[in-house]
């Protein structure tokens, strides 16, 4: 899968809620009700990631915060797979 141009990444981000670009990654920070809510979302994201064959980096911190980071490591940056999985994750959150 080919890397997206900066313009394509920006256009994709316009269609997503709360995602931003940090270097070669798409990043979203979530603040949920409690630890169980974070872990429940992590489980849903894990299922979606397995289905997509594309896996985000997940950081659970504090007791109710989750940072999601997406990048296509094999390509060295952001591809359509990252935008697609970000949209899927938005549907889960």
């Amino acid at each position: 899968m080919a890397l997206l141009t900066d313009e394509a990444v920006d256009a994709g981000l316009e269609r997503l809620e709360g995602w931003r670009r940090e270097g070669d990654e798409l990043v979203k920070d979530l603040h949920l009700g409690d630890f169980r809510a974070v872990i429940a979302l992590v489980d849903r994201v894990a299922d979606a990631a397995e289905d997509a064959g594309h896996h985000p980096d997940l950081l659970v911190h504090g007791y109710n915060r989750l940072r999601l980071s997406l990048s296509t490591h094999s390509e060295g940056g952001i591809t359509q797979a990252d935008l697609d999985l970000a949209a899927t994750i938005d549907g889960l959150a």
Side-chain angles (χ1 to χ4, degrees):
M1 187 165 281
L3 289 177
L4 296 176
T5 64
D6 290 339
E7 293 79 15
V9 172
D10 291 343
L13 284 170
E14 289 177 10
R15 295 188 302 272
L16 298 171
E17 174 110 15
W19 290 88
R20 65 187 179 281
R21 183 177 192 168
E22 289 187 2
D24 290 333
E25 295 183 321
L26 301 180
V27 177
K28 183 172 186 170
D29 290 300
L30 295 169
H31 180 215
L32 301 173
D34 58 26
F35 185 73
R36 288 188 185 276
V38 170
I39 296 305
L41 179 56
V42 166
D43 284 342
R44 293 191 303 273
V45 169
D47 288 340
E50 281 295 306
D51 290 345
H54 191 60
H55 304 93
D57 290 333
L58 304 168
L59 172 65
V60 175
H61 58 106
Y63 72 95
N64 61 352
R65 296 181 187 274
L66 174 63
R67 173 172 281 204
L68 301 126
S69 302
L70 289 166
S71 182
T72 304
H73 302 291
S74 62
E75 297 296 327
I78 300 168
T79 67
Q80 188 62 48
D82 300 304
L83 291 173
D84 293 345
L85 187 53
T88 298
I89 290 169
D90 281 350
L92 300 173

